[in-house]
Amino acid sequence: MSRPSTDPPDLTERYGAPSRASRRLVVTATTAVAVIGLVWVVWVTVLHGRPMVSSKLVGFDVGGEHLATARFSVVRRESDVRASCLLRAYADDHSIVGERTVPVASGPTTRILDAAVRTERRATAVEVVGCTAPGQQQRR
């Protein structure tokens, strides 16, 4: 009686080796997907990386029962970009008690603005929801 072989069979003998054409196809498809992905990342970065206008709350002051004042910075890509910024005042229970849209006319690219928001009752916080400009609908 002969002993059975303990060597495992070669997988290429059992299943066959992949052809060069299929290997080239996989490499070409992978390269194409990588190039398309890189182009998309560059496009998104260039288009959305530097918005036309952005804003940031610097501080706020509650001036009484029906008034809150916000101080916020606005940064525009160019000095002639006209923008509008939305401010919201909130009460203790997190409900909106006041809202105001502040227009930002042309001028320096970076500005610090103060705006008063009339409220229906005492506010405890003011938020700059964000600013929009022509060609930029998403508030930033």
Side-chain angles (χ1 to χ4, degrees), residues 53 75 79 130:
V53 63
V75 179
S79 60

Side-chain angles (χ1 to χ4, degrees), residues 69-113:
T69 304
R71 173 169 276 216
F72 59 101
S73 68
V74 177
V75 179
R76 292 172 296 168
R77 192 185 305 173
E78 297 169 8
S79 60
D80 63 342
V81 171
R82 293 187 177 273
S84 64
C85 302
L86 179 62
L87 306 175
R88 281 194 186 137
Y90 295 93
D92 256 346
D93 61 357
H94 305 286
S95 62
I96 298 171
V97 293
E99 195 170 82
R100 178 176 176 194
T101 300
V102 179
V104 181
S106 58
T109 56
T110 302
R111 296 174 76 175
I112 302 289
L113 300 171

Side-chain angles (χ1 to χ4, degrees), residues 19-80:
S19 68
R20 284 188 174 170
S22 67
R23 204 174 302 142
R24 272 192 206 134
L25 179 65
V26 168
V27 169
T28 303
T30 304
T31 303
V33 168
V35 167
I36 289 169
L38 182 62
V39 168
W40 180 80
V41 166
V42 169
W43 175 73
V44 167
T45 303
V46 169
L47 185 66
H48 298 290
R50 189 165 176 240
M52 294 296 290
V53 63
S54 63
S55 61
K56 183 178 178 183
L57 182 68
V58 175
F60 67 90
D61 180 46
V62 177
E65 196 67 27
H66 297 287
L67 185 68
T69 304
R71 173 169 276 216
F72 59 101
S73 68
V74 177
V75 179
R76 292 172 296 168
R77 192 185 305 173
E78 297 169 8
S79 60
D80 63 342

